């Protein structure tokens, strides 16, 4: 599992460790790990470190010091290292001295620095560290816009990215690789910051950290949560998920939600709604009932809202009146936004909301009585948005998007590391809703059900698109890309058994090793 800590937590852990170590030890550990990563990258790209052109963009403070010390280590291996000082009067003195002692070159003129930047084989971004807020300062902005031929390695966090939130409020320098120290930072896992970070590599420096506020599951954790029937199981003991979806206008939503639910581990899927005939024709194993949730019989979880149209309000009310977990999606969220958080008051069973940012805007307006905030603003602050919704509705929230963020009202947050932009297709969210509801019906806690569903759904999208697997057992898991080809939502649902098997098989291999 990837665990990410806020800057405040990292600073406290660093201070505690530095008090027990000789001065400068912690920076030397970080710089050594950074230099080792850079050396591997140069060897992979050019066959050797010797003779490589390296540029260090050094700002003020410890982040610049880390970069300068790493540059010195590369210079001692024969690289031609140039340090461009963006804050000459505040450059890290010892790091600068180490670079000069290793015969590194130092330039103050930004025109010269820009020319070196464009020709470099590797650039170390040590402009702004984890404490930085806002976009790049004017003297650094040109580097964010300039073309480059080499790989850019960010030191702890790409300059211009908020380490705590992933927000990017101005110019930022896009990295190919980010080397972070001690722990992951939330902003490296959540868009838009994650899209600036490239491949993220962790260097341990010995920090003793508190429990993380933000987590990202990987194959091993997901495999451990997947429901597996026992020898005494039957379809009812495995759980029955109810799906109230579809309408005369959107009958396909019912089919897609049921398709996702059939692959989520529950023993049976009970469908209610106007598309019963279409559902049973396509999925004869589904149990179908016309009408609403109130008269459907016992289930262990409800999925309400996909394509529900005008019937969504009644279905939502009947499902919320039950004593089982309820997942609210699509048209159900629109109705919930009209009703506000009071619609969930008194519920003792968990509620899971699965909005995209447009639906999140309507939910927040319903919670505060004001005009809906702009969806683009909510997308730019995904972590804050998910947390606001979870607190306002006292429900777990799965905020869909380029980075799916799952937040519960107690403050726990998980981000999903899998997926592909090909999942931005009609009906994909209906499949996700059915899948998550099915996992809820098996008895998984709501945070786990939402996290596992997002993970498998992202993998299934990649599998269906032919974009390749995500190696979830390793530190580099979760790269979201555009490789592959367009997919349909039904293809995503059809890929779920394959990725389910892959996750379990991969975890078993890791366990044997």
């Amino acid at each position: 599992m990837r665990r990410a800590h806020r800057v405040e937590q990292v600073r406290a852990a660093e201070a505690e460790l530095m008090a027990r170590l000789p001065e400068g030890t912690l920076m030397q550990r970080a710089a050594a790990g950074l230099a080792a990563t850079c050396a591997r990258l140069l060897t992979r790209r050019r066959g050797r470190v010797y003779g490589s052109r390296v540029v260090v963009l050094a700002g003020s403070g410890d982040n610049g010091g880390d970069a300068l010390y790493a540059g010195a280590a590369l210079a001692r291996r024969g690289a031609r290292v140039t340090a461009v000082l963006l804050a000459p009067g505040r450059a890290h003195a010892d790091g600068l001295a180490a670079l000069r002692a290793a015969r590194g070159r130092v330039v103050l003129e930004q025109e010269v620095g820009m020319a070196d930047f464009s020709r470099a084989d590797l650039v170390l971004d040590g402009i702004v560290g984890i404490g930085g807020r806002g976009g790049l300062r004017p003297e650094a902005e040109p580097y964010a816009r300039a073309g480059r031929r080499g790989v850019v390695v960010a030191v702890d966090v790409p300059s211009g990215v908020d380490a705590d939130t992933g927000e990017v409020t101005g110019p930022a320098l896009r990295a190919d690789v980010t080397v972070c120290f001690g722990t992951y930072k939330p902003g490296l896992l959540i868009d838009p910051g994650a899209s600036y970070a490239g491949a993220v590599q962790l260097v341990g420096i010995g920090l003793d950290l508190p429990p993380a506020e933000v987590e990202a599951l990987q194959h091993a954790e997901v495999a451990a949560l997947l429901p597996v029937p026992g020898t005494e199981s039957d379809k009812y003991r495995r759980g029955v998920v109810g799906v109230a979806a579809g309408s005369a206008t959107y009958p396909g939503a019912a089919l897609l939600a049921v398709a996702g639910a059939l692959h989520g581990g529950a023993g049976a899927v009970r469908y209610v709604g106007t598309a019963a005939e279409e559902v049973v024709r396509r999925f004869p194993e589904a149990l179908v009932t016309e009408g609403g949730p109130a008269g459907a019989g016992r289930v262990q979880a409800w999925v309400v809202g996909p394509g529900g149209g005008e019937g969504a309000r009644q279905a939502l009310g009947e499902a919320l009146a039950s004593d089982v977990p309820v997942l609210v999606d699509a048209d159900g969220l629109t109705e919930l936004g009209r009703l506000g958080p009071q619609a969930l008051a008194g519920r003792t069973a968990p509620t899971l909301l699965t909005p995209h940012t447009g639906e999140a805007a309507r939910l927040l307006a319903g919670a505060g009585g004001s005009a809906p905030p702009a969806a683009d603003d909510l997308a730019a602050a995904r972590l804050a948005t998910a947390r606001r919704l979870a607190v306002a509705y006292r429900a777990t929230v799965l905020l869909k998007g380029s980075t799916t963020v799952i937040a519960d009202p107690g403050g726990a947050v998980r981000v999903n590391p899998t997926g592909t932009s090909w999942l931005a297709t009609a009906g994909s969210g209906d499949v996700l809703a059915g899948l998550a509801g099915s996992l809820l019906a098996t008895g998984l806690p709501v945070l786990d059900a939402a996290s596992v569903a997002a993970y498998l759904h992202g993998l299934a999208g990649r599998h269906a698109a032919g974009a390749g697997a995500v190696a979830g057992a390793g530190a580099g898991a979760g790269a979201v890309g555009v490789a592959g080809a367009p997919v349909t939502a039904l293809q995503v649902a059809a890929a779920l058994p394959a990725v389910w098997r892959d996750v379990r098989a991969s975890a078993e291999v890791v366990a044997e090793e």
Side-chain angles (χ1 to χ4, degrees):
M1 182 181 293
R2 285 181 164 187
R3 295 178 173 86
H5 293 79
R6 290 181 290 107
V7 172
E8 178 184 4
Q9 296 173 306
V10 174
R11 293 294 195 215
E14 288 176 340
E16 192 278 332
L17 182 57
M18 285 190 290
R20 297 187 282 109
L21 294 174
E23 185 176 356
T25 301
L26 202 59
M27 182 172 285
Q28 292 294 342
R29 288 180 182 177
L34 177 61
T37 298
C38 292
R40 287 194 296 271
L41 290 169
L42 288 170
T43 301
R44 190 180 307 151
R45 290 172 65 88
R46 301 186 72 255
R48 60 181 183 176
V49 175
Y50 187 88
S52 300
R53 288 181 288 194
V54 175
V55 167
V56 176
L57 300 177
S60 59
D62 290 348
N63 189 258
D66 294 332
L68 289 167
Y69 273 121
L74 295 172
R76 288 193 293 271
R77 294 186 59 174
R80 293 180 287 172
V81 181
T82 297
V84 182
L85 304 186
L86 298 174
R90 292 178 292 150
H92 192 278
D94 291 343
L96 190 56
L99 181 73
R100 283 180 165 139
R103 299 183 182 276
R105 173 171 164 255
V106 177
V107 301
L108 305 181
E109 301 82 4
Q110 296 308 309
E111 294 81 3
V112 177
M114 286 294 299
D116 289 331
F117 174 86
S118 64
R119 296 192 297 262
D121 298 304
L122 184 143
V123 175
L124 271 169
D125 168 18
I127 303 171
V128 182
I130 59 175
R133 295 291 183 271
L136 292 173
R137 302 298 181 262
E139 63 273 14
E141 282 189 29
Y143 295 98
R145 296 191 297 266
R148 76 274 185 107
R149 64 183 289 271
V151 60
V152 174
V153 178
V155 181
D156 224 4
V157 64
S159 294
V161 172
D162 189 302
D164 277 344
T165 67
E167 295 177 33
V168 179
T169 57
L173 185 56
R174 195 176 297 274
D176 300 292
V177 177
T178 296
V179 178
C180 57
F181 305 130
T183 181
Y184 295 100
K185 314 306 183 293
L188 301 177
L189 305 180
I190 301 169
D191 276 332
S195 67
Y196 283 81
V200 181
Q201 299 187 13
L202 179 64
V203 171
I205 54 175
L207 299 183
D208 185 11
L209 291 155
E213 290 190 6
V214 176
E215 299 176 333
L217 300 184
Q218 296 181 283
H219 273 25
E221 293 83 29
V222 173
L225 291 170
L226 292 177
V228 178
T231 55
E232 298 297 317
S233 294
D234 58 35
K235 62 185 177 184
Y236 297 109
R237 289 176 181 171
R238 290 179 61 191
V240 179
V241 56
V243 176
S247 61
T249 307
Y250 304 109
L255 296 172
L256 294 168
V258 169
L262 286 168
H263 295 305
V269 177
R270 189 184 300 278
Y271 172 78
V272 299
T274 60
E277 185 176 340
E278 292 92 335
V279 168
V280 78
R281 184 183 301 118
R282 179 67 176 81
F283 301 112
E285 62 268 51
L287 313 173
V288 298
T289 305
E290 292 187 357
R298 182 69 179 170
V299 300
Q300 279 67 56
W302 276 108
V303 174
V304 181
E310 295 180 358
R313 173 170 288 201
Q314 181 177 346
L316 177 64
E318 292 179 10
L320 292 177
S322 71
D323 60 354
V324 301
V326 174
L327 182 152
V328 186
D329 186 49
D331 288 335
L333 294 170
T334 298
E335 294 301 327
L336 184 60
R338 292 170 181 162
L339 298 169
Q342 61 269 23
L344 304 183
R347 272 187 58 76
T348 56
T351 307
L352 173 59
L353 311 181
T354 58
H356 53 60
T357 52
E359 292 160 342
R362 293 192 285 274
L363 288 169
L364 288 172
S370 60
D376 287 347
D377 293 340
L378 298 183
R382 305 192 62 79
L383 181 59
T385 299
R387 282 176 163 158
R388 283 176 61 192
L389 279 172
V391 170
Y393 282 83
R394 299 298 302 166
T396 300
V397 172
L398 186 158
L399 181 62
K400 295 180 285 195
S402 59
T403 301
T404 293
V405 179
I406 303 109
D408 74 14
V413 174
R414 286 181 180 161
V415 298
N416 181 51
T418 68
T420 168
S421 53
W422 293 119
L423 280 169
T425 187
S428 173
D430 302 333
V431 173
L432 175 62
L435 174 61
S438 187
L439 289 163
L440 281 172
T442 69
L444 277 186
V446 61
L447 183 66
D448 289 337
S451 304
V452 171
Y455 195 96
L456 294 175
H457 185 256
L459 287 179
R462 291 184 61 84
H463 187 282
V470 176
V480 177
V482 294
V487 298
T488 67
L490 273 179
Q491 287 174 322
V492 174
L496 286 169
V499 300
W500 186 298
R501 289 191 295 270
D502 288 347
V503 168
R504 286 184 55 82
S506 176
E508 289 170 0
V509 169
V510 172
E512 290 174 359
E513 293 175 349

